[in-house]
Amino acid sequence: MNNQPSETRNSARQFAKIYIDCGDPLGWFEALYLAANENPYVIPWADMKPNPNILAWIDKKAPSFFQGLQVLVVGCGLGDDAEKFAELGCHVVAFDISLTAIKWCQQRFPLSSVKYVAADLLKPPTEWNQSFDLVIEAYTLQVLPPDIRTSALEKIASFVRPQGRLLIVARGRDEENPPGTMPWPLTKTELSEDAVGLNAISPLEDYFDNEVPPVRRFRIEFINHNYLV
Ligand SMILES: C[S@@+](CC[C@H](N)C(=O)[O-])C[C@H]1O[C@@H](n2cnc3c(N)ncnc32)[C@H](O)[C@@H]1O
C-alpha cells in the first residue's frame, strides 16, 4: 500500500475482514473497486503512477532488454505498471480479479496496447502456462491470506516460460515477527528458490522504500531454468 491516508487503509482492512470472516478471501477486491465509484483515493494502493520499486528495477536493465518481451502483470490494479512495460516495447497482458478494475484500466488507457483481462490468479487460463518472458508480481501476494499464498505463488511461477523471468516486490518481515495485519508482509522463506520453484538471479533485496513512513520491501528476480514438461 502507499501514501494514501490511514482511513483509506483502514477502510480497505474492514472490507477485507468482512469477506475473509465469511470465508471469501478474494471477494473484497471487487467490492472495494465497486464502492470506489471511480474515485482512486478510496483504493489504498492506487498511486496512479508506476510502482517506484519496479521503476528502480527497470532502471538497472538496458532498454533493449525489454524490447518485444511477452509480459504478464499479475493483479494489475489500475494499470500503471502494465502501461509502463508497454511503453518499454513489451507485449503486455495484465489481469486482475476485479472486473471493475479492468474496466477502469480500459477507461483510463483507451488507446493502450495492453490486453486487460479479468481473471483469478488461482484459476488462470490454461494457455498462460509457461507462456511469458517476464512476469511481474507487485503487492498481490501480500493481500492474500497466508493459507492461499502458496498456491498463488505456484500459479505465478507457472506463467514463466523456460528461461523467462519473474520479478516479485512485496512487503517484508523477519521470520520471527508476527504476520501483522493486511497487507501481510512476506518472509524470506516464502520467497526462497525452494518456495518459488525458480532460480534467483541475484540475492533478495531487503530495503526500506521512500514512503512516509518507510516500508520494508523485498524485491527479487527469478529465472526459469526448468525444462518444459
Ligand atoms: C494490493 S493491490 C496491488 C495492485 C497493483 N499491483 C499495484 O501495485 O498497484 C492487489 C491487486 O491484486 C488483485 N487481486 C487480488 N487477488 C487476486 C487474484 N486471486 N487474482 C487476480 N488478481 C487479484 C486485487 O484486485 C488488486 O487489484
Side-chain angles (χ1 to χ4, degrees):
M1 307 222 172
N2 54 20
N3 291 329
Q4 307 279 41
S6 58
E7 58 270 26
T8 301
R9 284 196 295 274
N10 289 339
S11 152
R13 285 194 177 111
Q14 295 287 348
F15 266 92
K17 184 172 174 358
I18 291 165
Y19 279 82
I20 291 167
D21 287 353
C22 293
D24 179 11
L26 302 179
W28 67 275
F29 300 105
E30 173 60 12
L32 183 67
Y33 282 111
L34 207 53
N37 198 19
E38 299 183 12
N39 175 6
Y41 295 103
V42 180
I43 312 290
W45 49 81
D47 285 337
M48 310 308 264
K49 58 184 185 201
N51 183 327
N53 299 291
I54 294 179
L55 292 181
W57 174 82
I58 289 172
D59 281 348
K60 291 189 209 146
K61 306 270 187 207
S64 57
F65 173 85
F66 296 99
Q67 282 304 312
L69 290 187
Q70 301 286 338
V71 172
L72 181 69
V73 179
V74 175
C76 64
L78 296 186
D80 296 275
D81 299 335
E83 293 298 319
K84 179 66 195 177
F85 285 100
E87 196 185 290
L88 289 168
C90 304
H91 305 289
V92 184
V93 176
F95 76 101
D96 201 283
I97 197 167
S98 163
L99 180 59
T100 301
I102 291 302
K103 286 183 179 164
W104 199 339
C105 292
Q106 290 163 335
Q107 193 180 309
R108 284 186 72 203
F109 307 107
L111 303 178
S112 176
S113 64
V114 176
K115 184 178 176 195
Y116 287 105
V117 179
D120 179 359
L121 170 60
L122 300 177
K123 296 176 202 150
T126 49
E127 66 267 24
W128 289 358
N129 190 48
Q130 298 201 334
S131 293
F132 292 90
D133 301 307
L134 176 61
V135 175
I136 303 295
E137 153 45 20
Y139 305 172
T140 307
L141 289 167
Q142 66 189 31
V143 293
L144 300 178
D147 56 326
I148 53 175
R149 220 182 265 160
T150 308
S151 38
L153 189 52
E154 207 172 280
K155 295 289 185 200
I156 290 171
S158 78
F159 302 141
V160 186
R161 71 157 178 76
Q163 305 309 318
R165 315 277 183 109
L166 164 64
L167 176 70
I168 300 181
V169 183
R171 285 182 179 239
R173 70 175 166 96
D174 290 324
E175 316 280 340
E176 63 272 22
N177 288 346
T181 51
M182 195 284 299
W184 299 280
L186 274 65
T187 63
K188 290 182 183 174
T189 302
E190 285 180 290
L191 293 179
S192 64
E193 290 185 330
D194 281 350
V196 179
L198 303 176
N199 294 104
I201 290 209
S202 46
L204 177 145
E205 296 172 84
D206 178 356
Y207 60 99
F208 283 86
D209 67 12
N210 292 327
E211 288 189 16
V212 184
V215 175
R216 186 178 179 187
R217 301 283 179 197
F218 291 163
R219 180 171 54 204
I220 184 160
E221 181 183 351
F222 294 93
I223 188 163
N224 183 1
H225 279 153
N226 303 321
Y227 293 102
L228 275 171
V229 284

